[in-house]
Amino acid sequence: MGEMNKKVNVISCIFLLSILSFNAQSQTIGVEAKAPAYKLPEMLISSKGEKIQTPEDWINIRRPEIITLFGEYVYGRFPGTCLEKKFETVKIDSNALCGKAVQKNIVACFIKDGDTIPMELLIFIPAHATKPVPLFVGMNFYGNQSILPDPGIPVTKSYVLNNPEYHIFNHTATEESRGADSSSWPVERILERGYGLATFCYDDLDPDFDDGFKNGIHSLLDYSEKNDSNELSSISAWAYGLTTAMDYFETDERINKNQIVVIGHSRLGKAALWAGAIDQRFAMVISNNSGCGGAALSRRIAGETVKDINTRFPHWFCKNFHDFNDKENEIPVDQHMLIGLIAPRPVYVGSAEQDEWADPYGEFLSLYHAGPAYTLFGLEILEKDTLPEINKPLWTGKMGYHIRTGGHAITRFDWEKYLDFADYHFDRKDK
Ligand code: GTR
């Protein structure tokens, strides 16, 4: 009997320990436990060592400094105004998607010395809108035709050109790829909720492979060979596409230019953050599973590291960023400062429980540590540095965050939460 009791005790001990260790694991999402000690660069101390205490000092001193640091050491220079841009309306269909939308196809042309690179912008506006609508803009990976199986959407030319052999989820990059990525784009739901949607393929700006910064819009830019350490990266080129789309929205009377949300998933989430950080015309910025070089803190060295990303994708960041492989603590910025640049505008970071490569906890911590920039504007910030419950969005002041079940993707759940957040901040309760 005594032996029996001992056995039962040992078994219940093992059971208890395994429950405890399971709990411990679920609280250490993002390999929190393995993250080394680190100290983040100061958000509110200027390069001259002055404490930034007012919104004016932030706007005039610290914000431009931080943008310059990200441009110089992380994403590379932005093209600024050196390229001429022209917009051409190629199609307006007032009866698109079975009468649910007005579809517009706009070609934005980047022009330099007679050479042109086109960006094919697809826009849907809710058909029955009686006033300018708020709008989400995000890039797509596989061409505009991939977001919906609708024959009225022109197949994006750059995608087919740059990926002739490539198969999108078993579909070749042609007519066959219509709707291949529709699970990432709940277009009808977005329209139903009163929002417009605009998208273009990131390949239009820069095809996603390493060619020494020669293709895409790089072909129009004449950076000197000797001084190319901070050259425009692919992420900057993609972000530049988003700001160009914004240039167009300002001219379109169906769109409320004060309510444009820039959104991106994964590598395109990194670009959305960078575009939203630089370009204050975006009223709201959303990062979905953007991970390393996006929302996740680099100094945590959890999930994908700076060396991992620079090795696999040498073209995503500028060459200076490669100097920080295995030297995350020496980067003059960290990603909480990128989110700080969005202040005082609303920002939402979405993570996924199984997306450890993107370091969900590091994504959350960036938002948490962006707090001081928001505090300057008298805004509420996240109270605690502990992750909220799974599938329970946390909104505080202008900050939103969720970690949902599942892996690396942008899902219907994510979109619903982003739309709720936009409704709230755009005061659309009685829409
Ligand atoms: C991964 C990359 C991530 C992430 C992702 C994506 O391979 O390591 O940084 O951005 O790609 O864009 O899907």
Side-chain angles (χ1 to χ4, degrees):
M1 189 67 182
E3 264 315 297
M4 186 66 177
N5 265 344
K6 249 191 224 162
K7 251 191 195 162
V8 169
N9 279 342
V10 170
I11 289 168
S12 36
C13 257
I14 292 172
F15 181 60
L16 230 145
L17 276 174
S18 59
I19 290 184
L20 285 176
S21 86
F22 175 79
N23 271 340
Q25 265 170 29
S26 61
Q27 280 161 18
T28 54
I29 289 164
V31 269
E32 189 179 349
K34 285 190 221 141
Y38 56 87
K39 186 174 174 328
L40 294 176
E42 290 284 351
M43 180 92 79
L44 298 186
I45 305 281
S46 77
S47 57
K48 291 193 185 133
E50 301 145 337
K51 177 106 186 90
I52 302 296
Q53 282 168 320
T54 63
E56 292 69 36
D57 284 353
W58 171 257
I59 290 161
N60 299 322
I61 303 171
R62 191 58 178 149
R63 187 179 140 78
E65 274 181 9
I66 296 176
I67 290 178
T68 305
L69 291 171
F70 273 106
E72 188 65 25
Y73 295 104
V74 184
Y75 303 112
R77 284 179 285 176
F78 220 59
T81 53
C82 62
L83 299 181
E84 191 193 339
K85 296 177 187 177
K86 274 197 187 138
F87 299 102
E88 193 191 328
T89 305
V90 289
K91 174 176 168 181
I92 302 183
D93 177 358
S94 308
N95 199 25
L97 309 184
C98 304
K100 294 194 184 96
V102 175
Q103 177 182 327
K104 297 187 89 173
N105 291 89
I106 308 293
V107 175
C109 292
F110 302 99
I111 307 164
K112 180 96 180 288
D113 303 330
D115 292 329
T116 299
I117 299 278
M119 174 178 116
E120 296 182 64
L121 187 59
L122 168 70
I123 304 174
F124 289 115
I125 306 285
H128 304 295
T130 51
K131 53 181 185 184
V133 294
L135 173 136
F136 281 73
V137 58
M139 286 176 278
N140 62 69
F141 285 90
Y142 312 111
N144 295 342
Q145 79 290 348
S146 68
I147 76 161
L148 264 187
D150 186 292
I153 303 175
V155 176
T156 297
K157 294 180 204 66
S158 69
Y159 190 79
V160 179
L161 204 72
N162 291 307
N163 306 275
E165 305 296 323
Y166 193 78
H167 286 54
I168 312 165
F169 313 130
N170 296 327
H171 304 289
T172 50
T174 60
E175 289 289 330
E176 234 193 281
S177 63
R178 290 195 177 282
D181 195 25
S182 56
S183 65
S184 304
W185 298 94
V187 180
E188 293 190 1
R189 179 65 180 148
I190 295 167
L191 294 167
E192 191 179 276
R193 292 197 53 169
Y195 290 80
L197 174 71
T199 187
F200 55 94
C201 180
Y202 73 146
D203 268 8
D204 279 355
L205 281 302
D206 195 18
D208 193 358
F209 54 85
D210 180 26
D211 72 334
F213 296 136
K214 291 196 183 63
N215 58 13
I217 58 164
H218 292 104
S219 63
L220 301 178
L221 302 167
D222 42 22
Y223 289 144
S224 103
E225 286 296 315
K226 290 191 192 89
N227 182 22
D228 62 358
S229 53
N230 61 357
E231 195 168 21
L232 174 94
S233 65
S234 293
I235 288 178
S236 270
W238 302 331
Y240 181 63
L242 290 166
T243 68
T244 302
M246 185 70 213
D247 295 339
Y248 171 76
F249 303 144
E250 288 194 308
T251 70
D252 190 323
E253 58 194 18
R254 294 177 203 260
I255 298 170
N256 181 344
K257 64 177 165 47
N258 298 316
Q259 294 188 339
I260 309 279
V261 183
V262 61
I263 184 168
H265 167 61
S266 206
R267 68 199 72 180
L268 301 182
K270 307 180 208 296
L273 282 172
W274 180 221
I278 297 178
D279 189 338
Q280 300 190 76
R281 295 175 298 172
F282 290 115
M284 184 179 292
V285 185
I286 297 177
S287 148
N288 190 78
N289 305 181
S290 63
C292 180
L297 290 176
S298 301
R299 277 166 173 75
R300 267 176 49 80
I301 318 184
E304 185 172 30
T305 65
V306 168
K307 185 176 178 185
D308 289 330
I309 207 164
N310 281 331
T311 308
R312 292 179 60 213
F313 307 104
H315 54 297
W316 281 6
F317 300 88
C318 70
K319 290 183 190 149
N320 279 343
F321 195 53
H322 292 234
D323 295 344
F324 303 111
N325 289 351
D326 291 328
K327 291 185 192 149
E328 279 84 353
N329 281 309
E330 293 175 26
I331 314 172
V333 285
D334 210 320
Q335 299 305 110
H336 64 305
M337 295 161 94
L338 187 67
I339 294 182
L341 291 174
I342 298 163
R345 294 164 293 152
V347 57
Y348 197 124
V349 174
S351 303
E353 192 185 13
Q354 287 161 21
D355 189 16
E356 296 225 338
W357 190 236
D359 185 21
Y361 187 53
E363 293 184 313
F364 174 77
L365 282 181
S366 266
L367 193 65
Y368 173 77
H369 288 295
Y374 281 80
T375 308
L376 277 182
F377 293 89
L379 295 165
E380 260 185 277
I381 55 168
L382 299 178
E383 273 171 34
K384 295 185 288 186
D385 63 0
T386 41
L387 277 172
E389 269 178 65
I390 304 284
N391 294 333
K392 294 247 169 75
L394 173 67
W395 296 359
T396 307
K398 298 284 176 79
M399 299 178 161
Y401 177 84
H402 69 241
I403 175 161
R404 61 157 168 79
T405 38
H408 190 69
I410 181 161
T411 65
R412 181 73 178 246
F413 176 94
D414 296 318
W415 276 103
E416 290 292 341
K417 302 304 163 205
Y418 301 148
L419 286 159
D420 291 348
F421 190 68
D423 275 357
Y424 177 72
H425 285 288
F426 293 160
D427 205 11
R428 289 171 49 78
K429 281 170 233 94
D430 49 340
K431 54 200 179 300

